[in-house]
PDB file of all heavy atoms in Angstrom:
ATOM      1  N   VAL A   1       0.862  -1.182   0.000  1.00  0.00           N
ATOM      2  CA  VAL A   1       0.000   0.000   0.000  1.00  0.00           C
ATOM      3  C   VAL A   1       0.897   1.230   0.000  1.00  0.00           C
ATOM      4  O   VAL A   1       1.794   1.352   0.845  1.00  0.00           O
ATOM      5  CB  VAL A   1      -0.923   0.009   1.235  1.00  0.00           C
ATOM      6  CG1 VAL A   1      -1.801   1.262   1.236  1.00  0.00           C
ATOM      7  CG2 VAL A   1      -1.779  -1.256   1.277  1.00  0.00           C
ATOM      8  N   LEU A   2       0.658   2.142  -0.925  1.00  0.00           N
ATOM      9  CA  LEU A   2       1.464   3.355  -0.997  1.00  0.00           C
ATOM     10  C   LEU A   2       1.314   4.177   0.273  1.00  0.00           C
ATOM     11  O   LEU A   2       0.208   4.364   0.785  1.00  0.00           O
ATOM     12  CB  LEU A   2       1.045   4.185  -2.209  1.00  0.00           C
ATOM     13  CG  LEU A   2       1.413   3.594  -3.577  1.00  0.00           C
ATOM     14  CD1 LEU A   2       0.714   4.364  -4.692  1.00  0.00           C
ATOM     15  CD2 LEU A   2       2.916   3.598  -3.795  1.00  0.00           C
ATOM     16  N   GLY A   3       2.448   4.649   0.808  1.00  0.00           N
ATOM     17  CA  GLY A   3       2.433   5.483   1.991  1.00  0.00           C
ATOM     18  C   GLY A   3       2.244   4.735   3.287  1.00  0.00           C
ATOM     19  O   GLY A   3       1.978   5.344   4.320  1.00  0.00           O
ATOM     20  N   SER A   4       2.386   3.404   3.262  1.00  0.00           N
ATOM     21  CA  SER A   4       2.158   2.600   4.464  1.00  0.00           C
ATOM     22  C   SER A   4       3.095   1.409   4.480  1.00  0.00           C
ATOM     23  O   SER A   4       3.474   0.881   3.429  1.00  0.00           O
ATOM     24  CB  SER A   4       0.699   2.125   4.505  1.00  0.00           C
ATOM     25  OG  SER A   4       0.493   1.228   5.581  1.00  0.00           O
ATOM     26  N   ASP A   5       3.462   0.968   5.687  1.00  0.00           N
ATOM     27  CA  ASP A   5       4.222  -0.270   5.833  1.00  0.00           C
ATOM     28  C   ASP A   5       3.307  -1.485   5.844  1.00  0.00           C
ATOM     29  O   ASP A   5       3.777  -2.624   5.733  1.00  0.00           O
ATOM     30  CB  ASP A   5       5.030  -0.240   7.140  1.00  0.00           C
ATOM     31  CG  ASP A   5       6.143   0.795   7.105  1.00  0.00           C
ATOM     32  OD1 ASP A   5       6.634   1.092   5.989  1.00  0.00           O
ATOM     33  OD2 ASP A   5       6.510   1.307   8.173  1.00  0.00           O
ATOM     34  N   ALA A   6       2.004  -1.255   6.035  1.00  0.00           N
ATOM     35  CA  ALA A   6       1.042  -2.354   6.061  1.00  0.00           C
ATOM     36  C   ALA A   6       0.780  -2.849   4.643  1.00  0.00           C
ATOM     37  O   ALA A   6       0.862  -2.090   3.670  1.00  0.00           O
ATOM     38  CB  ALA A   6      -0.264  -1.897   6.705  1.00  0.00           C
ATOM     39  N   ARG A   7       0.464  -4.112   4.524  1.00  0.00           N
ATOM     40  CA  ARG A   7       0.152  -4.707   3.235  1.00  0.00           C
ATOM     41  C   ARG A   7      -1.312  -5.152   3.220  1.00  0.00           C
ATOM     42  O   ARG A   7      -1.902  -5.416   4.260  1.00  0.00           O
ATOM     43  CB  ARG A   7       1.079  -5.889   2.939  1.00  0.00           C
ATOM     44  CG  ARG A   7       2.545  -5.472   2.783  1.00  0.00           C
ATOM     45  CD  ARG A   7       3.426  -6.675   2.494  1.00  0.00           C
ATOM     46  NE  ARG A   7       3.190  -7.251   1.185  1.00  0.00           N
ATOM     47  CZ  ARG A   7       3.887  -6.952   0.090  1.00  0.00           C
ATOM     48  NH1 ARG A   7       4.852  -6.047   0.139  1.00  0.00           N
ATOM     49  NH2 ARG A   7       3.621  -7.546  -1.068  1.00  0.00           N
ATOM     50  N   PHE A   8      -1.867  -5.241   2.030  1.00  0.00           N
ATOM     51  CA  PHE A   8      -3.259  -5.616   1.825  1.00  0.00           C
ATOM     52  C   PHE A   8      -3.326  -7.116   1.579  1.00  0.00           C
ATOM     53  O   PHE A   8      -2.832  -7.601   0.559  1.00  0.00           O
ATOM     54  CB  PHE A   8      -3.823  -4.855   0.626  1.00  0.00           C
ATOM     55  CG  PHE A   8      -5.265  -5.132   0.296  1.00  0.00           C
ATOM     56  CD1 PHE A   8      -6.279  -4.387   0.881  1.00  0.00           C
ATOM     57  CD2 PHE A   8      -5.603  -6.118  -0.610  1.00  0.00           C
ATOM     58  CE1 PHE A   8      -7.614  -4.621   0.559  1.00  0.00           C
ATOM     59  CE2 PHE A   8      -6.926  -6.366  -0.943  1.00  0.00           C
ATOM     60  CZ  PHE A   8      -7.940  -5.619  -0.352  1.00  0.00           C
ATOM     61  N   PRO A   9      -3.918  -7.907   2.514  1.00  0.00           N
ATOM     62  CA  PRO A   9      -4.005  -9.355   2.307  1.00  0.00           C
ATOM     63  C   PRO A   9      -5.122  -9.680   1.319  1.00  0.00           C
ATOM     64  O   PRO A   9      -6.248  -9.188   1.441  1.00  0.00           O
ATOM     65  CB  PRO A   9      -4.325  -9.888   3.701  1.00  0.00           C
ATOM     66  CG  PRO A   9      -5.065  -8.762   4.363  1.00  0.00           C
ATOM     67  CD  PRO A   9      -4.500  -7.488   3.797  1.00  0.00           C
ATOM     68  N   VAL A  10      -4.816 -10.497   0.341  1.00  0.00           N
ATOM     69  CA  VAL A  10      -5.770 -10.780  -0.740  1.00  0.00           C
ATOM     70  C   VAL A  10      -6.542 -12.060  -0.441  1.00  0.00           C
ATOM     71  O   VAL A  10      -5.958 -13.094  -0.109  1.00  0.00           O
ATOM     72  CB  VAL A  10      -5.045 -10.911  -2.089  1.00  0.00           C
ATOM     73  CG1 VAL A  10      -6.034 -11.255  -3.200  1.00  0.00           C
ATOM     74  CG2 VAL A  10      -4.304  -9.614  -2.414  1.00  0.00           C
ATOM     75  N   ARG A  11      -7.869 -11.961  -0.563  1.00  0.00           N
ATOM     76  CA  ARG A  11      -8.741 -13.124  -0.403  1.00  0.00           C
ATOM     77  C   ARG A  11      -9.083 -13.736  -1.765  1.00  0.00           C
ATOM     78  O   ARG A  11      -8.729 -14.865  -2.065  1.00  0.00           O
ATOM     79  CB  ARG A  11     -10.020 -12.736   0.342  1.00  0.00           C
ATOM     80  CG  ARG A  11     -10.891 -13.930   0.736  1.00  0.00           C
ATOM     81  CD  ARG A  11     -12.192 -13.493   1.385  1.00  0.00           C
ATOM     82  NE  ARG A  11     -13.180 -13.100   0.407  1.00  0.00           N
ATOM     83  CZ  ARG A  11     -14.338 -13.743   0.195  1.00  0.00           C
ATOM     84  NH1 ARG A  11     -14.640 -14.821   0.904  1.00  0.00           N
ATOM     85  NH2 ARG A  11     -15.194 -13.309  -0.705  1.00  0.00           N
ATOM     86  N   ARG A  12      -9.769 -12.983  -2.594  1.00  0.00           N
ATOM     87  CA  ARG A  12     -10.170 -13.466  -3.913  1.00  0.00           C
ATOM     88  C   ARG A  12      -9.871 -12.396  -4.960  1.00  0.00           C
ATOM     89  O   ARG A  12      -9.807 -11.215  -4.652  1.00  0.00           O
ATOM     90  CB  ARG A  12     -11.667 -13.799  -3.958  1.00  0.00           C
ATOM     91  CG  ARG A  12     -12.064 -14.964  -3.073  1.00  0.00           C
ATOM     92  CD  ARG A  12     -13.565 -15.201  -3.146  1.00  0.00           C
ATOM     93  NE  ARG A  12     -13.982 -16.319  -2.295  1.00  0.00           N
ATOM     94  CZ  ARG A  12     -15.248 -16.657  -2.084  1.00  0.00           C
ATOM     95  NH1 ARG A  12     -16.234 -15.967  -2.649  1.00  0.00           N
ATOM     96  NH2 ARG A  12     -15.538 -17.686  -1.300  1.00  0.00           N
ATOM     97  N   VAL A  13      -9.726 -12.846  -6.213  1.00  0.00           N
ATOM     98  CA  VAL A  13      -9.503 -11.940  -7.337  1.00  0.00           C
ATOM     99  C   VAL A  13     -10.603 -12.187  -8.368  1.00  0.00           C
ATOM    100  O   VAL A  13     -10.673 -13.263  -8.974  1.00  0.00           O
ATOM    101  CB  VAL A  13      -8.127 -12.165  -7.985  1.00  0.00           C
ATOM    102  CG1 VAL A  13      -7.932 -11.210  -9.161  1.00  0.00           C
ATOM    103  CG2 VAL A  13      -7.011 -11.996  -6.955  1.00  0.00           C
ATOM    104  N   TYR A  14     -11.469 -11.192  -8.528  1.00  0.00           N
ATOM    105  CA  TYR A  14     -12.539 -11.248  -9.520  1.00  0.00           C
ATOM    106  C   TYR A  14     -12.167 -10.368 -10.707  1.00  0.00           C
ATOM    107  O   TYR A  14     -11.459  -9.368 -10.565  1.00  0.00           O
ATOM    108  CB  TYR A  14     -13.855 -10.745  -8.932  1.00  0.00           C
ATOM    109  CG  TYR A  14     -14.376 -11.554  -7.775  1.00  0.00           C
ATOM    110  CD1 TYR A  14     -14.222 -11.113  -6.467  1.00  0.00           C
ATOM    111  CD2 TYR A  14     -15.041 -12.760  -7.994  1.00  0.00           C
ATOM    112  CE1 TYR A  14     -14.721 -11.854  -5.397  1.00  0.00           C
ATOM    113  CE2 TYR A  14     -15.535 -13.509  -6.926  1.00  0.00           C
ATOM    114  CZ  TYR A  14     -15.371 -13.047  -5.635  1.00  0.00           C
ATOM    115  OH  TYR A  14     -15.860 -13.788  -4.576  1.00  0.00           O
ATOM    116  N   CYS A  15     -12.671 -10.724 -11.884  1.00  0.00           N
ATOM    117  CA  CYS A  15     -12.423  -9.950 -13.097  1.00  0.00           C
ATOM    118  C   CYS A  15     -13.732  -9.762 -13.845  1.00  0.00           C
ATOM    119  O   CYS A  15     -14.575 -10.661 -13.881  1.00  0.00           O
ATOM    120  CB  CYS A  15     -11.426 -10.667 -14.013  1.00  0.00           C
ATOM    121  SG  CYS A  15      -9.841 -11.080 -13.247  1.00  0.00           S
ATOM    122  N   VAL A  16     -13.888  -8.585 -14.442  1.00  0.00           N
ATOM    123  CA  VAL A  16     -15.075  -8.264 -15.233  1.00  0.00           C
ATOM    124  C   VAL A  16     -14.728  -8.393 -16.709  1.00  0.00           C
ATOM    125  O   VAL A  16     -13.709  -7.858 -17.158  1.00  0.00           O
ATOM    126  CB  VAL A  16     -15.562  -6.832 -14.952  1.00  0.00           C
ATOM    127  CG1 VAL A  16     -16.874  -6.557 -15.684  1.00  0.00           C
ATOM    128  CG2 VAL A  16     -15.727  -6.599 -13.468  1.00  0.00           C
ATOM    129  N   GLY A  17     -15.568  -9.068 -17.453  1.00  0.00           N
ATOM    130  CA  GLY A  17     -15.336  -9.226 -18.884  1.00  0.00           C
ATOM    131  C   GLY A  17     -15.998  -8.129 -19.700  1.00  0.00           C
ATOM    132  O   GLY A  17     -17.123  -7.719 -19.408  1.00  0.00           O
ATOM    133  N   ARG A  18     -15.298  -7.614 -20.707  1.00  0.00           N
ATOM    134  CA  ARG A  18     -15.852  -6.717 -21.727  1.00  0.00           C
ATOM    135  C   ARG A  18     -16.602  -5.535 -21.136  1.00  0.00           C
ATOM    136  O   ARG A  18     -17.789  -5.327 -21.405  1.00  0.00           O
ATOM    137  CB  ARG A  18     -16.774  -7.504 -22.662  1.00  0.00           C
ATOM    138  CG  ARG A  18     -16.075  -8.640 -23.392  1.00  0.00           C
ATOM    139  CD  ARG A  18     -17.043  -9.480 -24.180  1.00  0.00           C
ATOM    140  NE  ARG A  18     -16.397 -10.680 -24.708  1.00  0.00           N
ATOM    141  CZ  ARG A  18     -17.050 -11.742 -25.154  1.00  0.00           C
ATOM    142  NH1 ARG A  18     -18.367 -11.769 -25.129  1.00  0.00           N
ATOM    143  NH2 ARG A  18     -16.389 -12.784 -25.612  1.00  0.00           N
ATOM    144  N   ASN A  19     -15.898  -4.731 -20.357  1.00  0.00           N
ATOM    145  CA  ASN A  19     -16.547  -3.612 -19.671  1.00  0.00           C
ATOM    146  C   ASN A  19     -16.248  -2.265 -20.318  1.00  0.00           C
ATOM    147  O   ASN A  19     -16.494  -1.222 -19.717  1.00  0.00           O
ATOM    148  CB  ASN A  19     -16.140  -3.586 -18.191  1.00  0.00           C
ATOM    149  CG  ASN A  19     -17.060  -2.713 -17.365  1.00  0.00           C
ATOM    150  OD1 ASN A  19     -18.232  -2.544 -17.679  1.00  0.00           O
ATOM    151  ND2 ASN A  19     -16.524  -2.126 -16.306  1.00  0.00           N
ATOM    152  N   TYR A  20     -15.689  -2.275 -21.524  1.00  0.00           N
ATOM    153  CA  TYR A  20     -15.516  -1.061 -22.315  1.00  0.00           C
ATOM    154  C   TYR A  20     -16.142  -1.333 -23.682  1.00  0.00           C
ATOM    155  O   TYR A  20     -15.904  -2.385 -24.284  1.00  0.00           O
ATOM    156  CB  TYR A  20     -14.046  -0.706 -22.494  1.00  0.00           C
ATOM    157  CG  TYR A  20     -13.368  -0.169 -21.252  1.00  0.00           C
ATOM    158  CD1 TYR A  20     -13.054  -1.007 -20.182  1.00  0.00           C
ATOM    159  CD2 TYR A  20     -13.015   1.175 -21.153  1.00  0.00           C
ATOM    160  CE1 TYR A  20     -12.430  -0.519 -19.047  1.00  0.00           C
ATOM    161  CE2 TYR A  20     -12.366   1.673 -20.023  1.00  0.00           C
ATOM    162  CZ  TYR A  20     -12.086   0.819 -18.980  1.00  0.00           C
ATOM    163  OH  TYR A  20     -11.449   1.298 -17.861  1.00  0.00           O
ATOM    164  N   ALA A  21     -16.931  -0.381 -24.182  1.00  0.00           N
ATOM    165  CA  ALA A  21     -17.709  -0.619 -25.397  1.00  0.00           C
ATOM    166  C   ALA A  21     -16.834  -0.997 -26.581  1.00  0.00           C
ATOM    167  O   ALA A  21     -17.138  -1.951 -27.310  1.00  0.00           O
ATOM    168  CB  ALA A  21     -18.534   0.624 -25.730  1.00  0.00           C
ATOM    169  N   GLU A  22     -15.712  -0.275 -26.792  1.00  0.00           N
ATOM    170  CA  GLU A  22     -14.881  -0.568 -27.959  1.00  0.00           C
ATOM    171  C   GLU A  22     -14.215  -1.929 -27.846  1.00  0.00           C
ATOM    172  O   GLU A  22     -14.042  -2.634 -28.842  1.00  0.00           O
ATOM    173  CB  GLU A  22     -13.832   0.537 -28.149  1.00  0.00           C
ATOM    174  CG  GLU A  22     -14.425   1.862 -28.607  1.00  0.00           C
ATOM    175  CD  GLU A  22     -13.355   2.893 -28.891  1.00  0.00           C
ATOM    176  OE1 GLU A  22     -12.157   2.558 -28.810  1.00  0.00           O
ATOM    177  OE2 GLU A  22     -13.718   4.047 -29.191  1.00  0.00           O
ATOM    178  N   HIS A  23     -13.828  -2.315 -26.621  1.00  0.00           N
ATOM    179  CA  HIS A  23     -13.249  -3.645 -26.452  1.00  0.00           C
ATOM    180  C   HIS A  23     -14.312  -4.710 -26.663  1.00  0.00           C
ATOM    181  O   HIS A  23     -14.046  -5.751 -27.288  1.00  0.00           O
ATOM    182  CB  HIS A  23     -12.635  -3.790 -25.062  1.00  0.00           C
ATOM    183  CG  HIS A  23     -12.114  -5.169 -24.776  1.00  0.00           C
ATOM    184  ND1 HIS A  23     -11.158  -5.783 -25.551  1.00  0.00           N
ATOM    185  CD2 HIS A  23     -12.440  -6.072 -23.804  1.00  0.00           C
ATOM    186  CE1 HIS A  23     -10.897  -6.989 -25.078  1.00  0.00           C
ATOM    187  NE2 HIS A  23     -11.675  -7.191 -24.022  1.00  0.00           N
ATOM    188  N   ALA A  24     -15.524  -4.472 -26.163  1.00  0.00           N
ATOM    189  CA  ALA A  24     -16.607  -5.431 -26.398  1.00  0.00           C
ATOM    190  C   ALA A  24     -16.833  -5.599 -27.895  1.00  0.00           C
ATOM    191  O   ALA A  24     -17.018  -6.722 -28.387  1.00  0.00           O
ATOM    192  CB  ALA A  24     -17.883  -4.959 -25.710  1.00  0.00           C
ATOM    193  N   ALA A  25     -16.803  -4.492 -28.633  1.00  0.00           N
ATOM    194  CA  ALA A  25     -17.012  -4.561 -30.079  1.00  0.00           C
ATOM    195  C   ALA A  25     -15.900  -5.346 -30.759  1.00  0.00           C
ATOM    196  O   ALA A  25     -16.155  -6.164 -31.657  1.00  0.00           O
ATOM    197  CB  ALA A  25     -17.108  -3.153 -30.659  1.00  0.00           C
ATOM    198  N   GLU A  26     -14.639  -5.117 -30.351  1.00  0.00           N
ATOM    199  CA  GLU A  26     -13.532  -5.819 -31.003  1.00  0.00           C
ATOM    200  C   GLU A  26     -13.545  -7.307 -30.673  1.00  0.00           C
ATOM    201  O   GLU A  26     -12.980  -8.115 -31.397  1.00  0.00           O
ATOM    202  CB  GLU A  26     -12.184  -5.180 -30.646  1.00  0.00           C
ATOM    203  CG  GLU A  26     -11.682  -5.438 -29.251  1.00  0.00           C
ATOM    204  CD  GLU A  26     -10.336  -4.756 -28.973  1.00  0.00           C
ATOM    205  OE1 GLU A  26      -9.735  -4.192 -29.916  1.00  0.00           O
ATOM    206  OE2 GLU A  26      -9.898  -4.792 -27.818  1.00  0.00           O
ATOM    207  N   MET A  27     -14.238  -7.676 -29.570  1.00  0.00           N
ATOM    208  CA  MET A  27     -14.375  -9.088 -29.210  1.00  0.00           C
ATOM    209  C   MET A  27     -15.703  -9.670 -29.707  1.00  0.00           C
ATOM    210  O   MET A  27     -16.032 -10.817 -29.426  1.00  0.00           O
ATOM    211  CB  MET A  27     -14.275  -9.256 -27.690  1.00  0.00           C
ATOM    212  CG  MET A  27     -12.956  -8.776 -27.096  1.00  0.00           C
ATOM    213  SD  MET A  27     -11.508  -9.598 -27.797  1.00  0.00           S
ATOM    214  CE  MET A  27     -11.699 -11.228 -27.079  1.00  0.00           C
ATOM    215  N   GLY A  28     -16.501  -8.855 -30.440  1.00  0.00           N
ATOM    216  CA  GLY A  28     -17.721  -9.347 -31.048  1.00  0.00           C
ATOM    217  C   GLY A  28     -18.900  -9.462 -30.119  1.00  0.00           C
ATOM    218  O   GLY A  28     -19.809 -10.280 -30.347  1.00  0.00           O
ATOM    219  N   ALA A  29     -18.945  -8.637 -29.059  1.00  0.00           N
ATOM    220  CA  ALA A  29     -20.022  -8.728 -28.073  1.00  0.00           C
ATOM    221  C   ALA A  29     -20.947  -7.521 -28.187  1.00  0.00           C
ATOM    222  O   ALA A  29     -20.586  -6.486 -28.749  1.00  0.00           O
ATOM    223  CB  ALA A  29     -19.443  -8.797 -26.671  1.00  0.00           C
ATOM    224  N   ASP A  30     -22.162  -7.668 -27.644  1.00  0.00           N
ATOM    225  CA  ASP A  30     -23.081  -6.539 -27.544  1.00  0.00           C
ATOM    226  C   ASP A  30     -22.511  -5.513 -26.574  1.00  0.00           C
ATOM    227  O   ASP A  30     -21.815  -5.850 -25.617  1.00  0.00           O
ATOM    228  CB  ASP A  30     -24.461  -6.999 -27.056  1.00  0.00           C
ATOM    229  CG  ASP A  30     -25.177  -7.850 -28.097  1.00  0.00           C
ATOM    230  OD1 ASP A  30     -24.853  -7.702 -29.284  1.00  0.00           O
ATOM    231  OD2 ASP A  30     -26.036  -8.655 -27.707  1.00  0.00           O
ATOM    232  N   LEU A  31     -22.835  -4.234 -26.779  1.00  0.00           N
ATOM    233  CA  LEU A  31     -22.186  -3.171 -26.034  1.00  0.00           C
ATOM    234  C   LEU A  31     -22.718  -2.993 -24.619  1.00  0.00           C
ATOM    235  O   LEU A  31     -22.025  -2.474 -23.759  1.00  0.00           O
ATOM    236  CB  LEU A  31     -22.316  -1.851 -26.804  1.00  0.00           C
ATOM    237  CG  LEU A  31     -21.722  -1.867 -28.218  1.00  0.00           C
ATOM    238  CD1 LEU A  31     -21.754  -0.477 -28.809  1.00  0.00           C
ATOM    239  CD2 LEU A  31     -20.303  -2.426 -28.227  1.00  0.00           C
ATOM    240  N   ARG A  32     -23.967  -3.369 -24.353  1.00  0.00           N
ATOM    241  CA  ARG A  32     -24.527  -3.144 -23.028  1.00  0.00           C
ATOM    242  C   ARG A  32     -25.018  -4.456 -22.423  1.00  0.00           C
ATOM    243  O   ARG A  32     -26.012  -4.511 -21.725  1.00  0.00           O
ATOM    244  CB  ARG A  32     -25.658  -2.121 -23.118  1.00  0.00           C
ATOM    245  CG  ARG A  32     -26.232  -1.636 -21.784  1.00  0.00           C
ATOM    246  CD  ARG A  32     -25.246  -0.857 -20.932  1.00  0.00           C
ATOM    247  NE  ARG A  32     -25.887  -0.386 -19.703  1.00  0.00           N
ATOM    248  CZ  ARG A  32     -25.274   0.240 -18.704  1.00  0.00           C
ATOM    249  NH1 ARG A  32     -23.985   0.492 -18.806  1.00  0.00           N
ATOM    250  NH2 ARG A  32     -25.923   0.623 -17.634  1.00  0.00           N
ATOM    251  N   ASP A  33     -24.306  -5.528 -22.691  1.00  0.00           N
ATOM    252  CA  ASP A  33     -24.596  -6.777 -21.996  1.00  0.00           C
ATOM    253  C   ASP A  33     -24.406  -6.581 -20.502  1.00  0.00           C
ATOM    254  O   ASP A  33     -23.539  -5.807 -20.078  1.00  0.00           O
ATOM    255  CB  ASP A  33     -23.652  -7.896 -22.463  1.00  0.00           C
ATOM    256  CG  ASP A  33     -24.109  -8.532 -23.764  1.00  0.00           C
ATOM    257  OD1 ASP A  33     -25.259  -8.288 -24.164  1.00  0.00           O
ATOM    258  OD2 ASP A  33     -23.305  -9.249 -24.377  1.00  0.00           O
ATOM    259  N   PRO A  34     -25.182  -7.273 -19.664  1.00  0.00           N
ATOM    260  CA  PRO A  34     -24.906  -7.219 -18.224  1.00  0.00           C
ATOM    261  C   PRO A  34     -23.477  -7.674 -17.956  1.00  0.00           C
ATOM    262  O   PRO A  34     -22.932  -8.510 -18.696  1.00  0.00           O
ATOM    263  CB  PRO A  34     -25.925  -8.207 -17.641  1.00  0.00           C
ATOM    264  CG  PRO A  34     -27.006  -8.276 -18.657  1.00  0.00           C
ATOM    265  CD  PRO A  34     -26.341  -8.118 -19.996  1.00  0.00           C
ATOM    266  N   PRO A  35     -22.837  -7.118 -16.931  1.00  0.00           N
ATOM    267  CA  PRO A  35     -21.450  -7.535 -16.647  1.00  0.00           C
ATOM    268  C   PRO A  35     -21.391  -9.016 -16.298  1.00  0.00           C
ATOM    269  O   PRO A  35     -22.299  -9.565 -15.687  1.00  0.00           O
ATOM    270  CB  PRO A  35     -21.062  -6.669 -15.448  1.00  0.00           C
ATOM    271  CG  PRO A  35     -22.351  -6.241 -14.839  1.00  0.00           C
ATOM    272  CD  PRO A  35     -23.342  -6.152 -15.950  1.00  0.00           C
ATOM    273  N   PHE A  36     -20.322  -9.665 -16.730  1.00  0.00           N
ATOM    274  CA  PHE A  36     -20.094 -11.054 -16.332  1.00  0.00           C
ATOM    275  C   PHE A  36     -18.715 -11.152 -15.718  1.00  0.00           C
ATOM    276  O   PHE A  36     -17.861 -10.287 -15.918  1.00  0.00           O
ATOM    277  CB  PHE A  36     -20.261 -12.032 -17.504  1.00  0.00           C
ATOM    278  CG  PHE A  36     -19.191 -11.936 -18.557  1.00  0.00           C
ATOM    279  CD1 PHE A  36     -18.068 -12.751 -18.506  1.00  0.00           C
ATOM    280  CD2 PHE A  36     -19.307 -11.048 -19.614  1.00  0.00           C
ATOM    281  CE1 PHE A  36     -17.081 -12.678 -19.471  1.00  0.00           C
ATOM    282  CE2 PHE A  36     -18.327 -10.965 -20.596  1.00  0.00           C
ATOM    283  CZ  PHE A  36     -17.212 -11.780 -20.518  1.00  0.00           C
ATOM    284  N   PHE A  37     -18.501 -12.207 -14.957  1.00  0.00           N
ATOM    285  CA  PHE A  37     -17.322 -12.283 -14.099  1.00  0.00           C
ATOM    286  C   PHE A  37     -16.618 -13.623 -14.250  1.00  0.00           C
ATOM    287  O   PHE A  37     -17.230 -14.647 -14.540  1.00  0.00           O
ATOM    288  CB  PHE A  37     -17.717 -12.083 -12.629  1.00  0.00           C
ATOM    289  CG  PHE A  37     -18.438 -10.792 -12.371  1.00  0.00           C
ATOM    290  CD1 PHE A  37     -19.827 -10.731 -12.401  1.00  0.00           C
ATOM    291  CD2 PHE A  37     -17.732  -9.618 -12.131  1.00  0.00           C
ATOM    292  CE1 PHE A  37     -20.492  -9.533 -12.184  1.00  0.00           C
ATOM    293  CE2 PHE A  37     -18.389  -8.417 -11.913  1.00  0.00           C
ATOM    294  CZ  PHE A  37     -19.775  -8.379 -11.944  1.00  0.00           C
ATOM    295  N   PHE A  38     -15.312 -13.588 -14.052  1.00  0.00           N
ATOM    296  CA  PHE A  38     -14.512 -14.797 -13.903  1.00  0.00           C
ATOM    297  C   PHE A  38     -13.506 -14.516 -12.798  1.00  0.00           C
ATOM    298  O   PHE A  38     -13.473 -13.416 -12.245  1.00  0.00           O
ATOM    299  CB  PHE A  38     -13.839 -15.196 -15.222  1.00  0.00           C
ATOM    300  CG  PHE A  38     -12.952 -14.143 -15.821  1.00  0.00           C
ATOM    301  CD1 PHE A  38     -11.588 -14.127 -15.569  1.00  0.00           C
ATOM    302  CD2 PHE A  38     -13.474 -13.158 -16.650  1.00  0.00           C
ATOM    303  CE1 PHE A  38     -10.759 -13.159 -16.118  1.00  0.00           C
ATOM    304  CE2 PHE A  38     -12.651 -12.176 -17.222  1.00  0.00           C
ATOM    305  CZ  PHE A  38     -11.301 -12.183 -16.949  1.00  0.00           C
ATOM    306  N   ALA A  39     -12.695 -15.489 -12.462  1.00  0.00           N
ATOM    307  CA  ALA A  39     -11.789 -15.328 -11.321  1.00  0.00           C
ATOM    308  C   ALA A  39     -10.391 -15.805 -11.671  1.00  0.00           C
ATOM    309  O   ALA A  39     -10.185 -16.618 -12.584  1.00  0.00           O
ATOM    310  CB  ALA A  39     -12.311 -16.101 -10.110  1.00  0.00           C
ATOM    311  N   LYS A  40      -9.431 -15.266 -10.950  1.00  0.00           N
ATOM    312  CA  LYS A  40      -8.057 -15.738 -10.978  1.00  0.00           C
ATOM    313  C   LYS A  40      -7.672 -16.113  -9.550  1.00  0.00           C
ATOM    314  O   LYS A  40      -8.197 -15.527  -8.588  1.00  0.00           O
ATOM    315  CB  LYS A  40      -7.106 -14.653 -11.487  1.00  0.00           C
ATOM    316  CG  LYS A  40      -7.262 -14.284 -12.961  1.00  0.00           C
ATOM    317  CD  LYS A  40      -6.336 -13.126 -13.330  1.00  0.00           C
ATOM    318  CE  LYS A  40      -6.476 -12.682 -14.767  1.00  0.00           C
ATOM    319  NZ  LYS A  40      -5.624 -13.449 -15.698  1.00  0.00           N
ATOM    320  N   PRO A  41      -6.776 -17.082  -9.365  1.00  0.00           N
ATOM    321  CA  PRO A  41      -6.322 -17.371  -8.008  1.00  0.00           C
ATOM    322  C   PRO A  41      -5.480 -16.230  -7.461  1.00  0.00           C
ATOM    323  O   PRO A  41      -4.821 -15.506  -8.217  1.00  0.00           O
ATOM    324  CB  PRO A  41      -5.481 -18.647  -8.177  1.00  0.00           C
ATOM    325  CG  PRO A  41      -5.031 -18.616  -9.597  1.00  0.00           C
ATOM    326  CD  PRO A  41      -6.133 -17.948 -10.376  1.00  0.00           C
ATOM    327  N   ALA A  42      -5.506 -16.051  -6.157  1.00  0.00           N
ATOM    328  CA  ALA A  42      -4.742 -14.963  -5.549  1.00  0.00           C
ATOM    329  C   ALA A  42      -3.258 -15.066  -5.878  1.00  0.00           C
ATOM    330  O   ALA A  42      -2.579 -14.047  -6.065  1.00  0.00           O
ATOM    331  CB  ALA A  42      -4.958 -14.954  -4.034  1.00  0.00           C
ATOM    332  N   ASP A  43      -2.738 -16.282  -5.976  1.00  0.00           N
ATOM    333  CA  ASP A  43      -1.303 -16.404  -6.223  1.00  0.00           C
ATOM    334  C   ASP A  43      -0.941 -16.214  -7.700  1.00  0.00           C
ATOM    335  O   ASP A  43       0.220 -16.354  -8.079  1.00  0.00           O
ATOM    336  CB  ASP A  43      -0.749 -17.718  -5.676  1.00  0.00           C
ATOM    337  CG  ASP A  43      -1.336 -18.961  -6.320  1.00  0.00           C
ATOM    338  OD1 ASP A  43      -2.149 -18.836  -7.261  1.00  0.00           O
ATOM    339  OD2 ASP A  43      -0.991 -20.070  -5.877  1.00  0.00           O
TER     340      ASP A  43
END
């Protein structure tokens, strides 16, 4: 953490797919689809 000696312990890592209109378009998706999620392991 900037400005601190303490660190942020990570539990889970979530990711949002296609949350920018131009990126959604380049990936062939509708522009205002509801957000969808996937995950990565903390490590």
Side-chain angles (χ1 to χ4, degrees):
V1 179
L2 290 169
S4 174
D5 292 332
R7 295 180 69 95
F8 181 89
V10 178
R11 189 184 81 115
R12 294 178 180 174
V13 180
Y14 298 102
C15 304
V16 185
R18 300 174 189 163
N19 196 29
Y20 287 73
E22 290 185 4
H23 176 58
E26 74 180 353
M27 300 302 289
D30 291 336
L31 302 187
R32 188 65 178 175
D33 278 347
F36 69 93
F37 303 93
F38 58 94
K40 292 176 182 273
D43 62 3

